């Protein structure tokens, strides 16, 4: 993997220098900006050149929320992960930031470990999203004529292939594929294979997540477990229904902003899917059945 490239923005020169030093020492490439207007100038000049934007919330000329608003309106910038840093840790501020599109948050003062952990998490997320987008654009057979269909998968590879295929049934596949992939992976790893939230965090930290999925899939008790996906095209929308064979989970805390998980290396995917990919998303029953909808008009 190439070096992580981070755009760091803070009007406090001392804090800016500290962040640049911490990230550079960890082997990342950094570019420094002193306010929101400078951030946008860098991003518009080279929108694909950064992996993460680490930005102070309160800055002159243009604050973090104003930058986010402009980024979300730009097709080339809307997926770039933004980490907002602020002295406030109020749930209201954090919720506002996440709803604006900042799914990663740093509350001052923060430790070097927390900074590096969340920057690496954001970089891993955008790397996966870029691969998904590249693959869905490469697929040449759209499913725009499909009225309904039923599919099932068992492996992580099949999960990725199905997410890319089904996204092509939608008017904006690059928007849909990220959220659809999140729902399918969640059904596989947590549902069928029983990987807990804590276990996934530890596996990601040790770079052992994929290996553990492969190990559990080979266990006799998981050989006949499938995730089922049903797609139905209505006159005004496309509906996806995903069912796994797990016991379910407490989904209510994952479809809304949750400040307690902001510093974790995962756990925000369902909320991101709801905000960015789908027009409606709801879990049913115990949580092993999810319905997501995309409007057609």
């Amino acid at each position: 993997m190439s070096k992580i490239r981070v755009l760091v923005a803070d009007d406090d020169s001392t804090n800016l220098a500290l962040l640049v030093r911490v990230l550079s020492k960890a082997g990342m490439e950094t570019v420094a900006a002193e306010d929101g207007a400078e951030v946008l100038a860098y991003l518009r000049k080279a929108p694909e050149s950064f992996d993460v934007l680490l930005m102070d919330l309160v800055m002159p000329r243009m604050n973090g929320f104003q930058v986010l608003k402009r980024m979300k309106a730009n097709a080339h910038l809307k997926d770039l992960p933004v980490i907002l840093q602020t002295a406030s840790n109020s749930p209201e501020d954090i919720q506002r930031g996440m709803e604006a599109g900042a799914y990663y948050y740093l509350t001052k003062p923060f430790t070097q470990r927390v900074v590096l952990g969340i920057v690496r998490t954001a970089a891993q997320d955008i790397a996966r999203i870029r691969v998904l987008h590249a693959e869905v654009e490469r697929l040449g057979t759209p499913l725009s004529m499909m009225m309904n269909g039923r599919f099932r998968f068992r492996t992580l590879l099949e999960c990725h292939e199905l997410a890319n295929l089904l996204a092509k049934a939608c008017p904006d596949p690059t928007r849909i594929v990220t959220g659809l992939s999140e729902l399918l992976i969640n059904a596989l790893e947590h549902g069928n294979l029983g990987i807990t939230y804590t276990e996934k965090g530890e596996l990601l930290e040790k770079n052992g997540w994929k290996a553990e999925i492969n190990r559990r899939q080979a266990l006799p008790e998981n050989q006949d477990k499938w995730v089922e996906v049903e797609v139905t095209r209505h006159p005004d929308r496309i509906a996806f229904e995903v069912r796994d064979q797990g016991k379910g989970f407490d989904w209510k805390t994952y479809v809304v902003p949750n400040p307690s998980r902001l510093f974790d290396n995962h756990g925000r995917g369902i909320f991101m899917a709801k905000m960015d990919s789908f027009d409606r998303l709801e879990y049913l029953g115990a949580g092993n059945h999810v319905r997501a909808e995309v409007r057609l008009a």
Side-chain angles (χ1 to χ4, degrees), residues 10-278:
D10 198 318
D11 61 311
D12 183 327
S13 59
T14 301
N15 196 54
L16 181 62
L18 174 63
L19 288 169
V20 168
R21 185 164 62 251
V22 167
L23 297 173
S24 300
K25 188 177 179 181
M28 302 180 192
E29 294 183 5
T30 61
V31 174
E34 296 182 351
D35 58 48
E38 193 174 358
V39 166
L40 283 180
Y42 276 121
L43 293 178
R44 286 168 175 163
K45 183 178 180 180
E48 302 291 332
S49 66
F50 296 101
D51 301 304
V52 180
L53 168 58
L54 174 55
M55 174 175 59
D56 192 25
L57 178 57
V58 180
M59 295 183 295
R61 293 207 288 172
M62 191 179 293
N63 64 33
F65 290 129
Q66 292 171 319
V67 173
L68 275 169
K69 184 177 180 180
R70 286 163 175 77
M71 289 178 64
K72 291 302 175 180
N74 186 314
H76 299 291
L77 299 176
K78 63 184 181 66
D79 293 317
L80 180 68
V82 177
I83 304 171
L84 277 184
Q85 51 166 326
T86 176
S88 170
N89 61 358
S90 73
E92 293 79 12
D93 285 348
I94 291 173
Q95 179 168 343
R96 184 185 175 195
M98 292 188 72
E99 289 177 347
Y103 301 125
Y104 314 85
Y105 229 87
L106 282 175
T107 302
K108 301 175 183 178
F110 34 73
T111 65
Q112 177 175 319
R113 182 187 65 82
V114 168
V115 171
L116 293 178
I118 204 161
V119 169
R120 286 172 178 145
T121 294
Q124 290 169 1
D125 286 347
I126 191 60
R128 182 177 61 83
I129 288 171
R130 285 170 175 166
V131 168
L132 285 170
H133 287 183
E135 290 177 350
V136 80
E137 289 176 359
R138 180 176 52 82
L139 288 174
T141 306
L143 299 179
S144 58
M145 294 180 289
M146 181 181 68
M147 296 305 296
N148 56 69
R150 298 186 68 180
F151 306 83
R152 67 177 189 173
F153 69 90
R154 194 178 71 86
T155 70
L156 192 59
L157 177 59
E158 292 170 344
C159 169
H160 290 316
E161 291 177 342
L162 184 58
N164 280 305
L165 178 68
L166 296 184
K168 297 293 284 187
C170 301
D172 186 359
T174 56
R175 171 194 166 209
I176 304 306
V177 68
T178 307
L180 195 55
S181 175
E182 289 288 350
L183 299 185
L184 300 189
I185 289 174
N186 184 71
L188 173 65
E189 61 177 353
H190 298 309
N192 283 6
L193 302 181
I195 296 176
T196 67
Y197 182 89
T198 301
E199 286 173 337
K200 181 172 181 179
E202 294 171 349
L203 289 167
L204 288 173
E205 190 171 343
K206 298 174 182 177
N207 199 28
W209 177 69
K210 287 185 180 179
E212 180 62 10
I213 284 183
N214 293 334
R215 187 191 73 81
R216 294 198 187 199
Q217 282 177 338
L219 296 176
E221 61 265 32
N222 294 325
Q223 288 293 304
D224 295 322
K225 287 184 179 179
W226 298 85
V227 176
E228 295 188 350
V229 184
E230 185 172 358
V231 186
T232 305
R233 180 182 295 270
H234 302 275
D236 61 339
R237 69 193 187 279
I238 296 175
F240 299 92
E241 300 211 25
V242 183
R243 296 176 176 87
D244 63 63
Q245 295 177 269
K247 298 178 180 179
F249 69 110
D250 184 14
W251 52 268
K252 298 179 183 67
T253 63
Y254 290 87
V255 295
V256 296
N258 193 323
S260 67
R261 289 197 298 269
L262 287 176
F263 303 125
D264 294 349
N265 60 5
H266 70 113
R268 53 185 67 82
I270 292 174
F271 178 72
M272 292 170 66
K274 179 183 177 183
M275 293 295 293
D276 293 342
S277 294
F278 301 110

